[in-house]
Amino acid sequence: VIDTASLGEDFTVAEVAPAKEFLGKTVGEVSAKLKDRVSLVAIRDMLRDEVRFNPRLDARLTDTDVLVVIGKDRDVHDFAAHG
């Protein structure tokens, strides 16, 4: 987890480095693995200092990307730890 913000009692938005297994995959492929535990709301490209909100399903993740996800505290932290 790179950064987090609480959204109330049990919800968090967080910036998370993508797991190595996600690099080169599309947003659609990664979203399918999230199984509604967390929602991918944006991708921040650290190299270009750009944020893509509601990223296209065919966008591919690179090693300079950070995922912005939202969900229940436990699910966000589990995703950050295990992908």
Side-chain angles (χ1 to χ4, degrees):
V1 175
I2 296 170
D3 195 13
T4 64
S6 178
L7 296 177
E9 244 179 71
D10 194 30
F11 287 89
T12 299
V13 62
E15 290 185 332
V16 179
K20 287 183 183 182
E21 69 185 75
F22 292 161
L23 298 179
K25 303 263 188 226
T26 65
V27 168
E29 292 170 318
V30 171
S31 293
K33 291 186 178 194
L34 298 179
K35 299 178 184 169
D36 297 325
R37 296 180 306 152
V38 297
S39 296
L40 176 62
V41 295
I43 299 172
R44 182 162 63 108
D45 185 323
M46 301 289 288
L47 185 63
R48 296 183 191 150
D49 196 28
E50 295 176 350
V51 178
R52 293 174 280 161
F53 289 96
N54 199 20
R56 295 172 43 133
L57 292 177
D58 62 350
R60 292 206 178 269
L61 299 178
T62 70
D63 60 354
T64 62
D65 289 335
V66 172
L67 308 179
V68 181
V69 297
I70 188 171
K72 290 189 174 186
D73 294 340
R74 183 183 70 214
D75 293 335
V76 168
H77 290 287
D78 183 53
F79 172 73
H82 308 292

